[in-house]
Amino acid sequence: MALEYHEQEGYPDVDLKGDITVPGVTKTEDDGEPSTLDEPVLTTVVRDLKAVGCKFKHVFYPKRNTALLREWDLWGPLILCLILALLLHSGSSDGGNTGEIHFAEVFVIIWLGAVVVTLNSKLLGGTITFLQSICVLGYCLLPLTIAAVLGQFLLLADQNAGIVTIRFLIVLLAFAWSTFASTAFVGDSQPPHRKVLAVYPIFLFYFVISWLVISH
């Protein structure tokens, strides 16, 4: 049986040609700006590193800016988590697999703790999204990461009461700054009568990480 194709009148030919576009990215031929799909890998890496650096600047100067929430990413939290884990691992002086345990502890405490804090924020009626909260909590680890790096240098000196006191003050300052920076971004997303309930888990989150740094 032969099948024949008959073009029906009243039905114009449909143009099946199209183009795949990415939302938020302009095409090259329209306005001359390069598409991120065709740009070199090095250009993409440099742009992402600049974005991470900009978010680090927001942590150092935590004014009420929505850029950290609007343009969230997880590169910064992952980098800081790796640095903290490596510092605790390299500084382990016990035998056996103690260093590996410290490495795993850092990952579990940071990521699981951030998830718990975020779920608490959502249950309290916060308007911030899940990944935005993870982004803020992770980027605000920067002061504690710097404190851990400085602590490694102080461990090279002879340990005495003065060195221990300096380490304690550095970690205390980093803990206060991390808590202050994170609450500056996350606090506004909570209902006014529930801000204390949202801030308290954040306080505990950074306190545990500070304890790991100072007791290492």
Side-chain angles (χ1 to χ4, degrees), residues 7-134:
E7 183 178 359
Q8 299 181 1
E9 296 182 359
Y11 291 90
D13 294 338
V14 179
D15 187 7
L16 298 179
K17 294 188 299 181
D19 189 13
I20 299 177
T21 59
V22 178
V25 177
T26 54
K27 296 192 303 181
T28 303
E29 57 269 16
D30 289 341
D31 51 12
E33 295 183 2
S35 172
T36 56
L37 297 177
D38 301 326
E39 68 181 6
V41 176
L42 180 60
T43 303
T44 304
V45 173
V46 171
R47 187 183 68 250
D48 291 341
L49 289 177
K50 289 181 179 179
V52 171
C54 181
K55 293 181 179 66
F56 283 152
K57 183 180 68 174
H58 289 313
V59 174
F60 277 118
Y61 182 54
K63 60 182 179 179
R64 303 190 183 283
N65 194 322
T66 60
L68 185 59
L69 299 178
R70 184 176 63 254
E71 301 174 0
W72 61 268
D73 66 76
L74 299 179
W75 287 114
L78 179 60
I79 293 173
L80 296 177
C81 183
L82 285 173
I83 293 175
L84 278 174
L86 290 174
L87 288 174
L88 295 179
H89 174 80
S90 62
S92 178
S93 57
D94 299 332
N97 296 325
T98 306
E100 297 179 3
I101 295 175
H102 279 302
F103 194 93
E105 285 176 353
V106 173
F107 269 85
V108 171
I109 290 175
I110 290 179
W111 293 108
L112 182 60
V115 168
V116 172
V117 172
T118 301
L119 290 176
N120 176 75
S121 174
K122 296 299 293 182
L123 291 175
L124 292 175
T127 58
I128 189 173
T129 66
F130 186 86
L131 292 178
Q132 284 176 338
S133 179
I134 297 292

Side-chain angles (χ1 to χ4, degrees), residues 121-198:
S121 174
K122 296 299 293 182
L123 291 175
L124 292 175
T127 58
I128 189 173
T129 66
F130 186 86
L131 292 178
Q132 284 176 338
S133 179
I134 297 292
C135 172
V136 170
L137 294 172
Y139 270 100
C140 290
L141 288 171
L142 178 61
L144 288 172
T145 305
I146 296 176
V149 173
L150 295 177
Q152 291 296 316
F153 286 105
L154 292 175
L155 288 175
L156 299 177
D158 295 333
Q159 297 301 301
N160 51 47
I163 296 297
V164 173
T165 302
I166 292 175
R167 286 189 61 204
F168 175 78
L169 293 177
I170 291 176
V171 175
L172 181 63
L173 177 62
F175 162 70
W177 197 263
S178 294
T179 305
F180 170 74
S182 59
T183 53
F185 294 107
V186 179
D188 288 343
S189 66
Q190 302 297 322
H193 60 287
R194 295 181 177 177
K195 284 187 177 182
V196 177
L197 296 176

